[in-house]
Amino acid sequence: MKIKELQLDFEALFTQVAFGHGYLHYGYWPDGKPAVSSLMALGQAQQAYFDKMLSLFPGDVKTVLDVGSGTGSNARALTDLGYAMECVCPSARLNAIANEKLKGEVPIHETVFEDFASNKTFDMLIFPESFHYIRLRTAIEQALKYADKYILIFDYFRHGDSEGEDAPRGSHKQFLDVVGKHADQLEILHDEDVTEQIIPTFYVLDEIKNTAVRPFAAKVKQGLEQDHWFYNKLFNKFLGKAYKRSQRTSNRFETFPQEYQYRIILMKKRG
Ligand SMILES: C[S@@+](CC[C@H](N)C(=O)[O-])C[C@H]1O[C@@H](n2cnc3c(N)ncnc32)[C@H](O)[C@@H]1O
């Protein structure tokens, strides 16, 4: 299992247990950093992310393909709002969680989007924080095949280009170049840089780590070293790496915007 997959599994468990919704995307903070950095504020900001995405749904959308559907939280909320949903996600573990949440009401296609095949098409395809995982040119070609009207991307792009236009994690410029090659079929209706509204997510996580988790872990470690040599040995063996990581200062709030920009993009199919 890749580290990124393990991280998603952990986040799925955490956001489900802690917040009850199971969203795997970042938070959206229209008013900037919260006064108090808490997990509760983070859970609410993840809900605000969903609300922001929903605010761009055109009125004539009824059927939606959720690409990179995670724990099925977006699909659950959209089904409850009356949309006819289908999901695509390659992770069997995330799909098991989603299936439970969606109670068999929503078909889940267990595959990467690059290999997705169906004889159905949908009014809109959505990519909530999943677009960067998918090979760029293939993602657009597949989206054109399965979207009847709209494509909505809410995700981050690197500032620097990826190698070639069909690599995942491309830049916004590479994205625009690929879309430009399909200008006869695709029109961009909305393209907004929301990096400023996303990065408080990192501010909150950095704060929680630097001011709560790090000193707590250091205290536990110091106690073990002083009084419990055996448990200290076990700790070093099984948790040594995680402890070292916990002691590093996090400053993703500053580094994320140096590397990425977060955008919400709505495109319409012509004709
Ligand atoms: C950060 S999670 C976002 C989950 C969900 N959209 C949300 O907003 O909570 C990324 C999702 O994309 C999925 N994914 C990764 N590679 C993919 C691919 N090539 N095609 C489709 N989905 C992919 C992951 O399994 C995961 O479900």
Side-chain angles (χ1 to χ4, degrees):
M1 190 194 294
K2 290 185 189 149
I3 288 289
K4 183 114 193 186
E5 284 175 29
L6 192 66
Q7 197 180 332
L8 277 180
D9 282 3
F10 173 74
E11 285 169 15
L13 178 71
F14 182 80
T15 60
Q16 192 63 52
V17 173
F19 310 139
H21 53 49
Y23 289 129
L24 291 179
H25 50 244
Y26 297 147
Y28 181 77
W29 314 75
D31 303 321
K33 294 180 209 163
V36 179
S37 290
S38 67
L39 288 177
M40 195 170 87
L42 181 58
Q44 286 165 350
Q46 286 184 302
Q47 184 58 47
Y49 177 109
F50 174 84
D51 296 340
K52 172 71 181 172
M53 176 172 75
L54 188 63
S55 74
L56 258 76
F57 272 42
D60 56 344
V61 169
K62 290 190 173 61
T63 59
V64 179
L65 182 67
D66 180 0
V67 183
S69 44
T71 68
S73 304
N74 296 301
R76 176 72 270 161
L78 291 169
T79 303
D80 293 343
L81 288 168
Y83 293 97
M85 302 294 302
E86 293 200 17
C87 294
V88 180
C89 176
S91 163
R93 283 178 304 277
L94 293 178
N95 290 342
I97 301 173
N99 249 322
E100 214 164 288
K101 195 176 292 176
L102 297 167
K103 303 185 180 91
E105 293 164 49
V106 175
I108 301 177
H109 305 271
E110 194 160 296
T111 174
V112 291
F113 184 55
E114 290 91 326
D115 295 339
F116 173 71
S118 171
N119 50 18
K120 283 175 80 174
T121 54
F122 304 83
D123 291 338
M124 181 154 81
L125 263 56
I126 59 170
F127 298 82
E129 213 163 288
S130 55
F131 192 78
H132 70 274
Y133 287 88
I134 306 166
R135 287 189 282 121
L136 177 53
R137 181 167 42 77
T138 311
I140 298 292
E141 286 168 3
Q142 282 279 75
L144 277 169
K145 198 162 155 191
Y146 292 106
D148 286 330
K149 297 178 183 166
Y150 305 103
I151 299 162
L152 178 56
I153 296 166
F154 197 1
D155 204 354
Y156 54 87
F157 295 85
R158 285 193 358 194
H159 289 308
D161 288 352
S162 284
E163 272 182 38
E165 64 175 31
D166 204 25
R169 290 175 180 265
S171 67
H172 183 238
K173 183 185 167 302
Q174 283 177 308
F175 166 78
L176 292 179
D177 286 348
V178 173
V179 170
K181 288 186 182 148
H182 297 279
D184 54 331
Q185 296 174 76
L186 266 183
E187 174 189 0
I188 295 180
L189 297 182
H190 185 99
D191 185 356
E192 182 185 356
D193 185 342
V194 291
T195 313
E196 284 297 311
Q197 289 84 352
I198 292 289
I199 55 172
T201 303
F202 305 116
Y203 176 81
V204 167
L205 290 173
D206 289 351
E207 277 250 308
I208 291 172
K209 182 182 166 193
N210 297 335
T211 63
V213 176
R214 191 170 56 165
F216 176 77
K219 227 177 187 171
V220 170
K221 179 83 174 95
Q222 198 184 20
L224 290 176
E225 275 169 5
Q226 276 170 4
D227 304 324
H228 304 281
W229 69 269
F230 178 68
Y231 290 120
N232 187 40
K233 248 182 137 90
L234 280 182
F235 182 94
N236 287 342
K237 186 167 167 50
F238 295 109
L239 293 170
K241 275 191 185 156
Y243 174 72
K244 276 193 185 133
R245 261 202 314 275
S246 81
Q247 294 308 292
R248 281 185 221 133
T249 303
S250 289
N251 66 344
R252 206 141 178 249
F253 178 65
E254 278 165 24
T255 56
F256 183 88
Q258 290 163 8
E259 262 184 86
Y260 303 105
Q261 53 178 308
Y262 210 107
R263 304 191 79 90
I264 185 159
I265 302 168
L266 177 66
M267 296 187 287
K268 186 176 175 14
K269 246 180 114 175
R270 293 184 200 272

